[in-house]
Amino acid sequence: MTDEFMGPPWQMDWRLDAFAALEALPVRVQEIVYSTRAELVAAKDPYFRGIETDADLPDGMWVEPVRSSQPRGPRVCYFDGGSGWLTYTFVPRAEDPQITVEQVFWQEGGESPMSSPAEA
């Protein structure tokens, strides 16, 4: 074990209800979510803080805070052009940094969802 801060790839855990929601999605969408997961666990900063920090993400994917008043709080990662999202937290502890997915949502048809997990 080292005393230095660990970096990517980060570990990722799923709440049971979020994992169940993922498994209920069509296979095509599950593959998109797994691609999204790969981007998050490999990110230098899973909170994507600063200006243009999520510019390296694939088209149709972006990250923002769930609440702008909580810059170190939960994040929402939109995927599939905004048709879906997952909300997550990142615990940057020294021994076992981890991303925890709290919610997965996807709406078929590319229509805008009624409400986003981020504040308006």
Side-chain angles (χ1 to χ4, degrees):
M1 171 163 289
T2 178
D3 290 334
E4 295 181 29
F5 183 74
M6 298 171 65
W10 308 107
Q11 294 192 37
M12 182 177 272
D13 194 15
W14 297 72
R15 280 185 28 168
L16 291 177
D17 55 344
F19 192 72
L22 168 66
E23 290 185 324
L25 294 173
V27 173
R28 177 188 76 80
V29 180
Q30 287 180 23
E31 291 172 0
I32 294 171
V33 173
Y34 289 133
S35 295
T36 302
R37 176 200 179 278
E39 294 291 337
L40 292 176
V41 298
K44 187 175 185 178
D45 177 7
Y47 271 174
F48 296 93
R49 291 174 282 227
I51 299 171
E52 295 294 322
T53 55
D54 60 358
D56 292 335
L57 291 174
D59 288 339
M61 185 184 303
W62 67 95
V63 175
E64 62 184 37
V66 170
R67 296 181 57 109
S68 61
S69 61
Q70 293 180 321
R72 294 185 180 262
R75 289 290 194 263
V76 59
C77 179
Y78 296 95
F79 60 88
D80 197 19
S83 294
W85 67 71
L86 55 87
T87 57
Y88 66 94
T89 56
F90 176 62
V91 181
R93 55 187 173 239
E95 287 190 27
D96 188 24
Q98 178 174 308
I99 297 171
T100 302
V101 177
E102 298 175 350
Q103 177 188 37
V104 176
F105 175 86
W106 179 77
Q107 181 170 338
E108 189 171 4
E111 300 172 14
S112 296
M114 296 297 287
S115 64
S116 166
E119 66 184 359

